[in-house]
Amino acid sequence: MKNFFDVTKPTLSFEIFPPKREGELESVWTTVGALSCLDPDLISVTYGAGGSSRRNTADIAERIMTDYGIPTLAHLTCIGASKSEMTDILDNLASRGIENILALRGDMTEEGTKDFTYASDLIKFIKQNYDFKVFAACYPEKHIEAKTLEKDIEHLKEKCDLGVDMLVTQLFFDNDNFLRFRDKIARAGITCPIDVGIMPLSSAGQLERMCKMCGAQIPAKISKIAEAYGHNAMVIKEAGIMYATEQISELLSEGVTGIHLYTMNKPDIAEAICRNIRSILSSLKVRKSENK
Ligand code: FAD
């Protein structure tokens, strides 16, 4: 199995989510099967708000490694968890051979926090007790709860100073916002490599819903696309693929070293984007570890 950190071109990774309902697990293997043909450098598996989808994260991540030989990244949230619960979860992930964890706080709930207030508490806990490579989230357009981007970057620096190995961004549609953010975090002394999270637009409803939830900005260019083509599922999908392709091509020309596609478990969209960017990706040489 290749080592994600040793790949010598900008990396391509995919995010998938475990099915929400029991009995739908088989569908994820159709998705993984199709995505595996695109030769990704890593597949990440999200961690749901509770129940079976949480248990499935570890199962899916492990099987992607063992059956498909693709490195995996298991997402993990710490909100509401005790240290002993987290120890059980982390021991389980380690025993399955999972090497990479995206250490997150998770969205605030009414129950609030327990032993871990912020993602930084989880990152510290993992770095003190385990050998995992730790990935962390960052927000080019600011986390929804943060008062200012500057404050958010201060907290991001705290996470990175604990030894984060890789950052993954929240989705964004405006590359200029990302590039300004990259400059700002560099000035703040953050040297961690960054994978950019790209969400291909696939319906007008999805755009509103996702951006409201995560606080991402909707630039006029993309809202016009949603407005003009939203009535036709096939056309908006095509337009979303074109927008994501252009976005990625520009980001790669700006020296981005990793593309993380939010696939929404729709391999056909990932497939079309990969076809468009494959030759650009393989023409570029970069080593993530040298970027640190
Ligand atoms: P943190 O880094 O803890 O930040 C949360 C907020 O607290 C920020 O506003 C930050 O500025 C502030 N803060 C941090 N430290 C301090 C401090 N010391 N003092 C005061 N304020 C502070 N959610 C899921 O449930 N499952 C998933 O699988 C999942 N995957 C994700 C993948 C990516 C790439 C991203 C970007 C997000 C993902 N999320 C997921 C969503 C994530 O859980 C939420 O965005 C959550 O609200 C914040 O998580 P965090 O790890 O960024 O939190």
Side-chain angles (χ1 to χ4, degrees):
M1 194 167 66
K2 63 180 141 186
N3 182 333
F4 179 68
F5 288 88
D6 285 343
V7 175
T8 52
K9 60 173 181 57
T11 54
L12 176 65
S13 56
F14 299 136
E15 180 190 281
I16 61 164
F17 55 82
K20 293 199 173 53
R21 280 184 285 271
E22 288 283 4
E24 289 180 355
L25 197 55
E26 265 321 296
S27 69
V28 95
W29 298 116
T30 313
T31 303
V32 171
L35 292 177
S36 71
C37 298
L38 306 173
D39 192 26
D41 300 302
L42 176 135
I43 295 182
S44 85
V45 189
T46 65
Y47 192 69
S52 61
S53 88
R54 276 193 170 182
R55 286 193 297 278
N56 288 337
T57 298
D59 288 344
I60 295 170
E62 181 185 9
R63 217 176 119 186
I64 291 172
M65 265 185 333
T66 53
D67 290 11
Y68 294 88
I70 299 169
T72 53
L73 169 66
H75 296 208
L76 180 61
T77 63
C78 59
I79 195 155
S82 67
K83 279 193 175 162
S84 106
E85 283 164 336
M86 225 9 107
T87 302
D88 288 348
I89 295 171
L90 289 161
D91 285 352
N92 177 39
L93 291 170
S95 73
R96 290 164 180 267
I98 287 162
E99 292 173 347
N100 307 303
I101 293 186
L102 177 56
L104 300 151
R105 184 197 67 183
D107 284 326
M108 204 40 111
T109 59
E110 276 177 15
E111 291 84 55
T113 59
K114 215 173 191 176
D115 286 350
F116 302 87
T117 309
Y118 298 109
S120 50
D121 300 318
L122 176 60
I123 294 164
K124 193 169 174 187
F125 188 72
I126 298 175
K127 282 287 174 188
Q128 279 174 348
N129 298 294
Y130 297 89
D131 285 331
F132 296 109
K133 291 274 190 200
V134 176
F135 291 51
C138 66
Y139 303 82
E141 293 167 341
K142 174 181 102 51
H143 182 257
I144 200 152
E145 290 164 29
K147 288 221 164 61
T148 63
L149 182 59
E150 284 63 33
K151 266 276 158 228
D152 208 21
I153 291 175
E154 269 177 40
H155 299 311
L156 180 63
K157 173 87 166 54
E158 287 160 16
K159 291 203 281 196
C160 292
D161 287 349
L162 292 166
V164 165
D165 298 282
M166 179 74 61
L167 292 173
V168 187
T169 76
Q170 183 55 280
L171 67 97
F172 58 89
F173 292 105
D174 186 334
N175 284 352
D176 288 342
N177 285 348
F178 168 75
L179 295 170
R180 274 192 291 273
F181 170 76
R182 189 173 68 170
D183 290 345
K184 280 187 180 173
I185 66 170
R187 279 200 296 275
I190 294 173
T191 55
C192 227
I194 313 173
D195 279 358
V196 294
I198 300 295
M199 164 85 72
L201 173 67
S202 64
S203 80
Q206 169 225 21
L207 177 69
E208 294 276 332
R209 215 173 34 251
M210 295 302 301
C211 292
K212 198 167 167 205
M213 212 159 70
C214 72
Q217 291 177 23
I218 306 181
K221 197 173 163 189
I222 195 119
S223 65
K224 280 182 192 161
I225 291 175
E227 229 174 272
Y229 309 130
H231 64 284
N232 185 319
M234 205 181 76
V235 173
I236 187 117
K237 202 162 97 173
E238 278 303 316
I241 289 166
M242 279 194 259
Y243 191 95
T245 302
E246 263 182 46
Q247 219 190 329
I248 294 169
S249 160
E250 186 187 26
L251 289 166
L252 290 171
S253 77
E254 292 282 354
V256 158
T257 58
I259 303 294
H260 186 66
L261 266 192
Y262 294 112
T263 72
M264 305 298 286
N265 291 11
K266 292 179 179 150
D268 56 327
I269 295 182
E271 219 163 53
I273 294 171
C274 286
R275 208 176 313 121
N276 294 343
I277 63 168
R278 184 63 73 192
S279 55
I280 303 180
L281 268 182
S282 48
S283 74
L284 298 167
K285 288 242 173 305
V286 57
R287 190 184 282 269
K288 276 176 193 282
S289 43
E290 279 170 11
N291 211 42
K292 262 193 127 172

